[in-house]
Amino acid sequence: MMHGNLRKMMASADSNGKVSYQLRLGDEQFPLEQAIGQKVSIQFSGQISCIHCGRASNKSFSQGYCYPCFKKLAACDTCIMSPEKCHYHKGTCREPDWAEKFCMQSHYVYLSNTTALKVGITRGDQLPTRWLDQGATQARAMFLVDNRRTSGLVETLFKDEVADKTNWRNMLKGSDLTIDLAAEQERLINRLWEGLDSLQNEFGLQAVQELGDDNVTHEFSYPVLEYPTKVTSINAEKTPLVEGTLMGIKGQYWMLDTGVINLRKYTGYEASFTL
């Protein structure tokens, strides 16, 4: 048995794109590949602790924070979800030192296949983690961009052509769909070149760099024995004992024969895991 406050699962991929996961409870980690096909249970106690300050909280905000931290931390500001709204350059950032470390760094704008074509952004050191957290079966970086705000402005150009959200229900049903991401990149850039030129004129040619011919499309396979035909979501607030046979893991979701649960949603919740 493991016990502690739940953290986002750690995901990694080997050189062949095979994805593996580590469950994290407190300071403990457990390799979940040995749990696939086995009966598992997670018992939630109802206690929640902020992942930043450790304060007890009646509710989790922004995936693991207490309300005071949610209101004051830059990591919980609206520009995290909408990076084009970054206001660091206006001198109004909640935590300028934090922004220097996490936002004023190079970012990628990418295309991915999460059962449909999707555009997204992530910090330069977060690949392929970002793709694995979203359950992408294919992914390809398109641009290297100077900072988070500029990456958000590039992403916004693509939103009229490509979704920027993952349809998690479709993602959990699995799909054999294969997309030629290189061809999609070329098609989209040909449609959006005027907007891209405008950003380069505003911020400089080096601020938005299209990745060259050596760029590759990455492919990933997830530890899934069987995808559900009907996606039934489990709410740990209403069902604190979550148990069943673990049929697979994709993104931050467990697929059990009793339903699916987004573990990341319960970051900071105290829980016990039994295999």
Side-chain angles (χ1 to χ4, degrees), residues 169-215:
R169 290 184 180 274
N170 287 344
M171 183 268 289
L172 292 179
K173 291 179 180 179
S175 171
D176 294 329
L177 173 69
T178 299
I179 300 175
D180 187 339
L181 295 184
E184 288 297 322
Q185 175 179 333
E186 182 177 4
R187 177 183 69 84
L188 290 165
I189 289 174
N190 285 337
R191 289 180 66 88
L192 301 169
W193 67 268
E194 289 183 345
L196 293 167
D197 276 358
S198 178
L199 289 176
Q200 287 180 323
N201 288 334
E202 181 177 355
F203 297 107
L205 290 175
Q206 299 303 311
V208 181
Q209 301 178 57
E210 183 181 358
L211 298 178
D213 294 336
D214 57 346
N215 187 27

Side-chain angles (χ1 to χ4, degrees), residues 139-164:
R140 179 184 181 88
M142 290 189 294
F143 296 97
L144 181 63
V145 183
D146 265 359
N147 55 59
R148 184 173 179 83
R149 175 173 176 253
T150 307
S151 71
L153 293 172
V154 175
E155 181 188 36
T156 298
L157 290 176
F158 284 78
K159 286 182 181 180
D160 288 339
E161 303 286 338
V162 184
D164 67 327

Side-chain angles (χ1 to χ4, degrees), residues 31-269:
L32 285 167
E33 59 264 23
Q34 58 188 283
I36 303 297
Q38 304 297 314
K39 183 74 174 289
V40 300
S41 69
I42 290 190
Q43 176 73 60
F44 290 88
S45 71
Q47 301 298 311
I48 306 172
S49 297
C50 176
I51 61 173
H52 178 74
C53 71
R55 180 189 287 114
S57 179
N58 292 326
K59 184 178 178 181
S60 174
F61 296 86
S62 193
Q63 296 180 333
Y65 297 92
C66 65
Y67 188 71
C69 286
F70 170 70
K71 294 297 289 183
K72 75 178 183 181
L73 295 179
C76 300
D77 205 347
T78 54
C79 51
I80 296 302
M81 295 301 295
S82 301
E84 70 278 6
K85 297 178 181 178
C86 172
H87 46 97
Y88 175 90
H89 61 292
K90 296 180 179 180
T92 55
C93 181
R94 292 179 178 182
E95 296 179 277
D97 289 344
W98 186 91
E100 286 285 348
K101 183 177 180 180
F102 294 103
C103 300
M104 306 308 292
Q105 303 292 333
S106 62
H107 281 61
Y108 287 108
V109 181
Y110 63 83
L111 290 176
S112 63
N113 175 6
T114 57
T115 68
L117 188 63
K118 176 188 176 300
V119 65
I121 71 164
T122 191
R123 200 168 67 245
D125 60 358
Q126 287 298 297
L127 296 182
T129 301
R130 179 66 170 167
W131 297 334
L132 305 183
D133 284 346
Q134 295 181 343
T137 53
Q138 295 174 281
R140 179 184 181 88
M142 290 189 294
F143 296 97
L144 181 63
V145 183
D146 265 359
N147 55 59
R148 184 173 179 83
R149 175 173 176 253
T150 307
S151 71
L153 293 172
V154 175
E155 181 188 36
T156 298
L157 290 176
F158 284 78
K159 286 182 181 180
D160 288 339
E161 303 286 338
V162 184
D164 67 327
K165 298 289 188 296
T166 297
N167 184 321
W168 65 272
R169 290 184 180 274
N170 287 344
M171 183 268 289
L172 292 179
K173 291 179 180 179
S175 171
D176 294 329
L177 173 69
T178 299
I179 300 175
D180 187 339
L181 295 184
E184 288 297 322
Q185 175 179 333
E186 182 177 4
R187 177 183 69 84
L188 290 165
I189 289 174
N190 285 337
R191 289 180 66 88
L192 301 169
W193 67 268
E194 289 183 345
L196 293 167
D197 276 358
S198 178
L199 289 176
Q200 287 180 323
N201 288 334
E202 181 177 355
F203 297 107
L205 290 175
Q206 299 303 311
V208 181
Q209 301 178 57
E210 183 181 358
L211 298 178
D213 294 336
D214 57 346
N215 187 27
V216 298
T217 295
H218 301 266
E219 299 188 354
F220 305 104
S221 59
Y222 293 84
V224 179
L225 294 179
E226 183 179 324
Y227 285 99
T229 55
K230 180 181 180 181
V231 176
T232 303
S233 182
I234 298 173
N235 184 339
E237 297 278 4
K238 298 178 179 179
T239 310
L241 177 59
V242 178
E243 56 184 350
T245 300
L246 184 60
M247 303 305 294
I249 307 172
K250 192 176 184 184
Q252 286 288 317
Y253 287 84
W254 279 14
M255 290 173 271
L256 304 161
D257 61 351
T258 53
V260 304
I261 181 168
N262 179 2
L263 285 192
R264 190 170 188 177
K265 180 179 179 180
Y266 302 101
T267 302
Y269 283 58

